[in-house]
Amino acid sequence: MYTWRGEFKRYLLIFAVVGIVSYFFGVLLPSLLILTLILLGIDLLQLHRLQKWLAIDHASDKSAPPESFGVWGGVFDGIYRLQKQERRASAHLESLLNKAQESSAALEMGIVMINRHNNLDWWNRASESLLGLRHPQDRGQSITNLIRDPQFHEYFHSENYDDPLKLNAPGDSTQILEYQIATFGKHERLMIVRDITQLHRLESMRKDFVGNVSHELGTPITVIKGYLEAIIDNMQDLDPKWQKPIQQMHQQSTRMENIVRDLLLLSSLETKHRPKPQDSFSLSSLLSEIRNDTLQIYKKKSHNFTLECDASLELLGDRGELYSALSNLVVNAAKYTPANGTISVRVEHDEESLTIEVEDNGIGIDVQHLPRLTERFYRVDVSRSSETGGTGLGLAIVKHILMRHDGELNIESEIGEGSCFVCRFPQTRFRQSEPAVESIPQESSADTTTESPSTTH
Ligand code: ADP
């Protein structure tokens, strides 16, 4: 191993020997000059050899660098060592890449890599059969030129890939594909495409089945309930021992009717298109209607009901659906709050979102039940629900309707203290209507657009 210090000593020694000898012969300066030129020549020669060796194509010719001595020998060896290390690392990388490509080729789902210019970089074999991509002609093509569906374009450019997109396969309307995109690196995208035709078929069969069964059960239940009501109207003619069973039969048939009604509503929510934010309606009048209807049903409980909502606020969506969702929450508050309890409905908003809070000081819900509360038929306490005629579908309906309006539901509750159900809508789903200029005196416009909190007993 040569070191700089050793090399320096060697040079010093040569110069000293040549200097002393040439001094005796009286040719010091020319000798030193010749010696310097010789050493320079040797260095230039080594540089030339190194440059020649570097110019070789090392991918095909793996020959070692030329033999050398001194520091140059160390330089040649160092470069050769580095080159070997790099060759090993790239072989490892190549084998990893091959493995990744082979394993993704075996997958049934399509994997497509799209660069930051939206062009195709790489795709696996399944993508060719699912999307009709051709190898290698389509490399570098824009993905939006190859998948021309406007819904795909909207999804691709939205850059919001939280939910997957379901679409008919390009060129085959019988096949349903699910697209899921993830971004990585410098705005590059990885697109995963799955064939969900079978899954979609089963899901539609399930929805149709629930819809059809509910529909078919509707008529017999109405008939049974009708007869029971007729019997109850003539209860005095009935043997007293039948009176209680008939009452119970009537109660249960009402529950069955409610379950069928809720199942039908859920199945229609699942099959209908999402309501577009085009239709608008006054939120305060919707909430007043819900308050009045609920107070009418539960008037015996004499609840203390407060409603706070800015009269100029408008929701954008389906009024009927939002009536169902919000009235479910308010009716639940009334159902699960004892007589003389308090129910408050508050609406707040800022630039970004609007929240509707339905709060009560009723029996409350144990925290362990909160995550599962919006599941179908999930009930905290079966006896509690049958007493109140609940179906266990109400909150599932609420969640579904809110989702269809880009909203979300949060629940806070404490057993014995009461509950608070918060519906949050994004800024795209509400607006503040402009007050009619001529009908509103300028100095009091703020007051006229705000419905003052009302308390109803
Ligand atoms: P149900 O028709 O049984 O009321 P929901 O889906 O509307 O079904 O509610 C699910 C369960 O959540 C109910 O069984 C009830 O136990 C509980 N719950 C809902 N709202 C309230 C509330 N405001 N206070 C207490 N418990 C509630």
Side-chain angles (χ1 to χ4, degrees):
M1 175 91 184
Y2 292 92
T3 60
W4 277 107
R5 191 181 288 231
E7 191 71 1
F8 183 70
K9 278 185 191 160
R10 210 149 54 86
Y11 271 62
L12 215 62
L13 191 70
I14 294 171
F15 272 96
V17 172
V18 172
I20 293 166
V21 173
S22 56
Y23 181 73
F24 278 115
F25 290 101
V27 284
L28 178 66
L29 273 177
S31 307
L32 287 181
L33 188 69
I34 291 169
L35 178 65
T36 312
L37 284 175
I38 291 172
L39 291 175
L40 198 69
I42 292 173
D43 280 350
L44 280 175
L45 182 72
Q46 301 297 348
L47 264 176
H48 173 68
R49 292 172 73 202
L50 176 63
Q51 194 229 356
K52 234 171 94 183
W53 178 72
L54 287 175
I56 299 172
D57 176 12
H58 291 280
S60 51
D61 184 348
K62 298 197 170 53
S63 61
E67 284 294 325
S68 193
F69 57 86
V71 159
W72 282 106
V75 170
F76 283 9
D77 288 350
I79 293 178
Y80 190 48
R81 225 181 8 257
L82 279 177
Q83 197 189 36
K84 279 210 291 200
Q85 272 172 13
E86 197 203 290
R87 223 178 265 149
R88 264 201 304 273
S90 69
H92 179 63
L93 217 66
E94 202 177 308
S95 92
L96 269 182
L97 213 67
N98 283 343
K99 269 191 214 158
Q101 291 200 352
E102 274 165 30
S103 55
S104 69
L107 288 176
E108 278 181 19
M109 63 176 84
I111 300 176
V112 184
M113 278 162 90
I114 302 161
N115 67 21
R116 64 199 173 107
H117 304 296
N118 302 342
N119 298 336
L120 296 188
D121 254 358
W122 177 88
W123 59 91
N124 69 346
R125 213 173 299 142
S127 315
E128 295 179 11
S129 54
L130 291 172
L131 300 172
L133 301 181
R134 292 156 312 152
H135 185 77
Q137 297 97 306
D138 289 335
R139 173 155 296 150
Q141 292 275 348
S142 164
I143 182 76
T144 44
N145 279 350
L146 296 165
I147 306 173
R148 291 182 169 271
D149 195 307
Q151 267 180 279
F152 178 80
H153 286 208
E154 195 185 324
Y155 177 68
F156 187 78
H157 294 300
S158 73
E159 311 224 337
N160 174 6
Y161 306 129
D162 292 348
D163 297 321
L165 171 75
K166 288 178 194 158
L167 274 186
N168 287 339
D172 182 0
S173 57
T174 57
Q175 198 181 23
I176 316 270
L177 300 184
E178 184 186 74
Y179 298 85
Q180 177 89 64
I181 298 180
T183 45
F184 69 98
K186 290 187 184 141
H187 215 70
E188 286 157 293
R189 282 170 256 220
L190 181 79
M191 183 167 83
I192 294 170
V193 188
R194 285 195 313 143
D195 181 354
I196 53 156
T197 315
Q198 195 61 17
L199 213 71
H200 185 77
R201 214 168 279 154
L202 286 173
E203 182 68 0
S204 330
M205 271 166 63
R206 182 191 65 79
K207 284 179 195 164
D208 288 352
F209 177 76
V210 175
N212 291 340
V213 167
S214 317
H215 187 75
E216 292 302 321
L217 282 176
T219 317
I221 293 170
T222 313
V223 171
I224 294 169
K225 202 177 154 214
Y227 280 122
L228 287 168
E229 272 162 10
I231 296 171
I232 288 170
D233 285 345
N234 299 294
M235 201 67 116
Q236 67 282 1
D237 303 337
L238 207 67
D239 188 334
K241 75 172 181 216
W242 289 110
Q243 289 183 1
K244 200 169 171 219
I246 294 286
Q247 290 286 8
Q248 276 177 352
M249 280 158 78
H250 180 253
Q251 214 180 353
Q252 291 305 323
S253 64
T254 307
R255 254 193 86 211
M256 255 150 73
E257 196 176 48
N258 292 343
I259 292 175
V260 165
R261 183 205 58 216
D262 283 357
L263 277 175
L264 271 173
L265 177 60
L266 261 176
S267 106
S268 87
L269 289 174
E270 279 178 330
T271 42
K272 274 198 301 185
H273 280 295
R274 279 160 79 98
K276 292 252 180 280
Q278 277 152 355
D279 301 330
S280 65
F281 55 89
S282 159
L283 178 58
S284 69
S285 77
L286 177 82
L287 291 174
S288 305
E289 198 180 319
I290 292 173
R291 174 192 57 189
N292 296 343
D293 292 350
T294 314
L295 283 170
Q296 184 61 29
I297 305 169
Y298 290 93
K299 58 174 177 263
K300 280 195 193 145
K301 287 182 135 182
S302 304
H303 288 129
N304 182 12
F305 203 123
T306 62
L307 169 61
E308 289 171 43
C309 177
D310 188 329
S312 66
L313 281 173
E314 291 186 344
L315 277 190
L316 302 162
D318 185 313
R319 191 181 194 275
E321 284 185 18
L322 287 160
Y323 177 93
S324 293
L326 295 169
S327 86
N328 253 312
L329 296 181
V330 176
V331 166
N332 272 353
K335 255 198 286 189
Y336 300 110
T337 302
N340 303 316
T342 302
I343 299 168
S344 338
V345 178
R346 271 185 309 277
V347 179
E348 282 166 10
H349 73 286
D350 57 25
E351 295 273 288
E352 270 158 24
S353 62
L354 175 140
T355 54
I356 305 173
E357 289 180 21
V358 180
E359 193 173 13
D360 64 62
N361 66 349
I363 56 176
I365 308 158
D366 197 339
V367 73
Q368 59 162 334
H369 298 292
L370 297 184
R372 299 194 56 196
L373 223 50
T374 53
E375 284 174 22
R376 286 169 200 206
F377 294 113
Y378 186 82
R379 272 168 291 181
V380 172
D381 174 353
V382 180
S383 64
R384 190 201 265 198
S385 281
S386 15
E387 271 168 34
T388 55
T391 62
L393 291 167
L395 292 178
I397 292 174
V398 174
K399 189 178 161 196
H400 224 87
I401 294 176
L402 292 189
M403 258 166 51
R404 285 165 60 78
H405 288 82
D406 311 313
E408 58 181 32
L409 178 70
N410 284 312
I411 310 169
E412 286 165 21
S413 189
E414 209 176 309
I415 196 109
E417 295 293 322
S419 317
C420 185
F421 290 76
V422 184
C423 312
R424 190 180 304 279
F425 294 94
Q427 162 242 321
T428 47
R429 286 289 179 176
F430 71 94
R431 69 170 177 219
Q432 234 166 342
S433 65
E434 293 288 326
V437 177
E438 64 276 15
S439 63
I440 293 166
Q442 281 205 325
E443 66 277 11
S444 61
S445 63
D447 291 341
T448 50
T449 53
T450 308
E451 177 170 300
S452 53
S454 58
T455 305
T456 318
H457 296 273

